[in-house]
Every structure is written in structure tokens, then in C-alpha cells.
Amino acid sequence: METKTRYSDAELEEFRIIINDKLKVARDIYNDAMRRLMNADSNSDEDTAPTYKILEEGTEAMERENLIQMAQRQQKFIQGLEAALMRIQNKTYGIDRVTGELIPKERLRVVPHATLSVASKNARKKY
């Protein structure tokens, strides 16, 4: 039996659809976070009590930090998905970058930007 060295064009198209769906959601989340960050300074509470204002500012700083972290994670995820689309275009998608073997479809459906099989990823963690 011949070992498959790459996914077929039909399989790559299935992955392209999955990735584009995930990209749309990731971009929406990223854009929402950026909008919220840009508007965070526009809410004024000039007439509230000083103690409340200090608590409010602490909460706002924490929320802002969380939004920044979420935006950064989404940006990294988007870059990973875009790189996966390039690998589909180059017909190198789904190939483990360490072993050169195909990454199982089940893994790619869940983590479509993966460049390592679970076994390769686990082996890397040991070092």
C-alpha cells in the first residue's frame, strides 16, 4: 500500500473552507476587541464619587489589559490561519514539519493551523 504524501485537492478545499470560517470568526473577535479598546476612553464619569472613580479606573485598566491580550491572541491565531491557507495554496498543508508525514485529518479539523502531529508536538515538549 502506498503511503499518502499530501492531501488531495478536494481534501485541501475542505480544509480551506474550515480555515476561512475560523478566520472570519477570529477577525470579527479581533475587530470587536480593537473597537472596544478604541472606545474605552470615550466613557466619562466626571461627576462620580472619587472612591468609586478609583475602583472604576482599576476595573477599566484590567478590562483593557484583557482586551489587549485577547486581541494579541486573535492576531496570532489569524496569522497562523493565513499561513495555513498559504500551505494549502502550495499543496504542503497538513504535512508534519518534523517527520514529513501527514497530520491526521481529525487534528487538522480541530486545529487547522497545526504544523505538527500530536506525537511530534509531544516529542518537542520533552526537550
Side-chain angles (χ1 to χ4, degrees):
M1 187 176 108
E2 187 182 317
T3 305
K4 263 175 81 167
T5 56
R6 76 169 193 87
Y7 285 110
S8 71
D9 290 350
E11 290 167 321
L12 291 176
E13 186 55 33
E14 174 193 341
F15 290 124
R16 184 191 320 272
I17 291 166
I18 291 170
I19 291 168
N20 280 326
D21 289 346
K22 287 190 182 278
L23 252 178
K24 183 188 178 324
V25 172
R27 286 182 177 137
D28 287 347
I29 292 169
Y30 175 78
N31 290 333
D32 180 58
M34 293 308 289
R35 259 192 311 279
R36 289 169 57 195
L37 278 169
M38 298 304 161
N39 293 331
D41 299 327
S42 65
N43 297 334
S44 178
D45 56 357
E46 295 300 317
D47 57 350
T48 56
T51 306
Y52 176 75
K53 190 171 173 74
I54 290 169
L55 289 171
E56 186 69 22
E57 286 173 358
T59 302
E60 285 176 15
M62 231 168 72
E63 281 180 25
R64 189 172 182 82
E65 185 60 34
N66 287 339
L67 276 173
I68 290 168
Q69 287 178 357
M70 182 175 61
Q72 288 171 335
R73 277 193 308 272
Q74 287 304 312
Q75 191 172 33
K76 185 177 177 188
F77 184 49
I78 290 166
Q79 289 169 345
L81 292 171
E82 288 172 343
L85 285 175
M86 287 302 297
R87 290 192 301 278
I88 287 175
Q89 190 175 332
N90 299 336
K91 299 189 188 296
T92 59
Y93 179 80
I95 300 170
D96 186 308
R97 62 186 161 92
V98 172
T99 65
E101 296 173 1
L102 284 183
I103 299 169
K105 280 185 185 182
E106 299 74 31
R107 173 162 170 73
L108 292 172
R109 285 186 182 116
V110 177
V111 186
H113 57 293
T115 58
L116 295 171
S117 67
V118 173
S120 293
K121 186 171 176 140
N122 290 338
R124 271 186 76 198
K125 283 183 184 175
K126 292 178 183 170
Y127 299 107

